[in-house]
């Protein structure tokens, strides 16, 4: 490869590496503790359980999108497009939360939490497969520090 072409390629490579990192928003445990206080005790679940679920479902990354069995799940809580939200891939969604799925990818957790409550009321904590094997006991590491 000629030196000029290499010099052109290197900045493009750096941009390709940095753009996904810039778009990603990992939420810290203290941030989660603050935001999730409204869910503490809802349907009997504690903050440490919620933080554990979020960690194992999305890695605490608001931009997490996971495709599985023809469905797509979005955001911290991995809310799917088959029943709970609507996207271009699954326009026939039941859209129970009456929301566009991409709203679960932003930093405003109000709509996420409203939908999570609907999911809990309808399906319970079993909706999140990480709960039983990973978040139903030994939660010391997920506890919120009192401020």
């Amino acid at each position: 490869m000629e030196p000029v072409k290499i010099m052109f390629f290197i900045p493009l490579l750096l941009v390709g590496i940095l753009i996904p990192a810039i778009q990603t928003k990992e939420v810290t445990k203290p941030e989660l503790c603050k935001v999730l206080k409204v869910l503490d005790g809802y349907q009997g679940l504690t903050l440490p359980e919620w933080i554990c679920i979020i960690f194992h479902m999305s890695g605490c990354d608001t931009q997490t999108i996971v495709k599985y069995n023809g469905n797509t799940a979005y955001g911290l809580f991995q809310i799917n497009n088959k029943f709970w939200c609507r996207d271009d891939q699954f326009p026939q969604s039941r859209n129970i939360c009456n929301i566009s799925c991409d709203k679960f990818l932003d930093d405003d957790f109000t709509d996420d939490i409203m939908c999570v409550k609907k999911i809990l009321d309808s399906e319970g904590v079993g909706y999140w497969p990480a709960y039983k094997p990973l978040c139903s006991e030994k939660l010391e590491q997920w506890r919120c520090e009192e401020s």
Side-chain angles (χ1 to χ4, degrees):
M1 198 179 250
E2 296 174 354
V4 172
K5 288 183 180 176
I6 290 174
M7 295 305 290
F8 179 74
F9 177 73
I10 291 173
L12 285 177
L13 179 64
L14 290 174
V15 167
I17 291 169
L18 292 176
I19 285 179
I22 292 168
Q23 293 174 345
T24 300
K25 168 66 168 132
E26 285 191 25
V27 183
T28 66
K29 186 170 133 185
E31 289 173 313
L32 284 174
C33 289
K34 183 178 177 184
V35 169
L36 298 178
K37 282 199 184 280
V38 298
L39 284 175
D40 189 23
Y42 193 82
Q43 296 286 344
L45 293 168
T46 65
L47 281 176
E49 289 170 312
W50 278 117
I51 293 167
C52 179
I53 289 168
I54 289 170
F55 176 81
H56 290 293
M57 295 300 296
S58 66
C60 300
D61 184 346
T62 61
Q63 296 289 307
T64 301
I65 298 174
V66 176
K67 296 177 185 277
Y68 63 96
N69 297 333
N71 298 321
T72 304
Y74 293 84
L76 288 177
F77 295 97
Q78 288 296 282
I79 298 172
N80 81 44
N81 65 342
K82 185 173 181 182
F83 297 106
W84 305 103
C85 62
R86 180 163 291 140
D87 63 8
D88 293 337
Q89 292 179 325
F90 208 88
Q92 69 275 23
S93 167
R94 291 187 48 209
N95 196 9
I96 295 168
C97 292
N98 195 30
I99 192 168
S100 173
C101 297
D102 64 348
K103 292 290 190 180
F104 298 132
L105 302 175
D106 62 23
D107 297 341
D108 177 3
F109 305 120
T110 308
D111 43 21
D112 304 54
I113 290 170
M114 289 174 55
C115 190
V116 163
K117 287 181 175 183
K118 287 182 181 184
I119 293 169
L120 281 171
D121 291 343
S122 175
E123 298 192 27
V125 72
Y127 174 83
W128 292 277
Y131 175 73
K132 185 148 177 87
L134 301 170
C135 303
S136 59
E137 54 186 54
K138 297 183 183 171
L139 298 169
E140 293 79 24
Q141 67 181 329
W142 308 112
R143 295 201 190 288
C144 295
E145 305 299 321
E146 295 298 321
S147 49

